[in-house]
Amino acid sequence: MNDMLIFERAAVRAHRDRAANQLDRVRPVLDDLAARVLDRLDDTARKFATALDLGGRGAVATLLAARGVAVVSADLSPRMARQAGGFAVAADAEFLPFGAASFDLIVAHLSLHWVNDLPGALIQLRRTLKPEGLFLASLPLLGTLGDLRAALIKAEEALTGGASPRVSPFPDLADCAGLMQRAGFALPVAEREVIDVEYAEPLALLRDLQAAGETNATIARSRRIPPRALFPAALAALAPDDGKLRVPLHMAVLTGWGS
């Protein structure tokens, strides 16, 4: 097996297809995170006419349109692309169908963490960006869902004597900064934001991940139906005495300019 292949892209597409009709459940969180990323646009006097919204799940295109930007919304899932709010294109971030210097703004919001060849995807995105255009991206960082990962491993080992990967691996911030530089972006910046999400009912976390299309798509995942007690046991181990589950999202926000 190719060591570069960590994720099953067909599974990513299927998860996002199923999530396309469930986005209202997580709309407040998606909109808040997108607004945090797009706030970077206020730091520049540059005006943008055309933008590529890559995987924004309807949270990005609306905010860009409000700024007077014409938006092409691309997603691995055709259903998700149609609901994103811009001119819809079904496209894979690993094989972008756009020509060189097509957009003066590209926003890849919480979409690149399921890509197998992230360095290659960033190079393609930089080539798709016009000279002096702006690239904005966000993705979860190492530490996100780390407690859930550990709790699932411990619970599954106790129940079955073994464990399979159930939470996607995430990069660290230093990796993101290095990849931006290697891809050829000018003035690359990688920043960390930590957003705490609280759940009164712990199982709601798993339902929200499914509604956002963020369920497990690693190639190494188990295809067997998990023990019924697995997820309740893992979540019970995470919940404090008040029963509320607090989940920190460590989000990288990347900015870079075309060259």
Side-chain angles (χ1 to χ4, degrees), residues 69-244:
V69 183
V71 184
V72 172
S73 292
D75 200 287
L76 184 62
S77 159
R79 292 181 186 176
M80 198 73 81
R82 286 195 294 269
Q83 296 196 48
F87 180 83
V89 175
D92 190 333
E94 296 187 353
F95 305 98
L96 289 177
F98 309 107
S102 295
F103 302 97
D104 53 15
L105 173 65
I106 295 176
V107 181
H109 177 50
L110 294 178
S111 58
L112 295 177
H113 56 292
W114 293 112
V115 169
N116 284 302
D117 183 8
L118 183 53
L122 288 172
I123 290 171
Q124 289 186 63
L125 288 163
R126 195 261 302 160
R127 290 174 177 168
T128 304
L129 191 63
K130 291 181 179 179
E132 299 184 2
L134 177 63
F135 173 69
L136 283 174
S138 63
L139 65 163
L141 287 171
L142 187 67
T144 297
L145 300 180
D147 290 343
L148 177 62
R149 184 198 313 273
L152 284 168
I153 290 173
K154 184 176 181 179
E156 190 167 10
E157 286 178 340
L159 290 167
T160 69
S164 63
R166 298 191 179 275
V167 176
S168 172
F170 301 123
D172 63 28
L173 191 64
D175 289 337
C176 294
L179 288 173
M180 289 282 288
Q181 189 170 29
R182 284 174 52 193
F185 287 101
L187 304 176
V189 175
E191 303 171 278
R192 180 192 299 267
E193 290 201 18
V194 181
I195 302 97
D196 290 319
V197 184
E198 184 175 284
Y199 291 93
E201 199 275 299
L203 280 172
L205 166 62
L206 303 184
R207 290 194 288 268
D208 277 6
L209 290 172
Q210 184 178 56
E214 293 293 329
T215 43
N216 189 9
T218 56
I219 291 174
R221 72 191 186 281
S222 173
R223 267 61 168 183
R224 296 178 181 178
I225 297 174
R228 181 175 296 181
L230 173 60
F231 294 107
L235 291 170
L238 293 179
D241 293 339
D242 62 7
K244 295 180 180 179

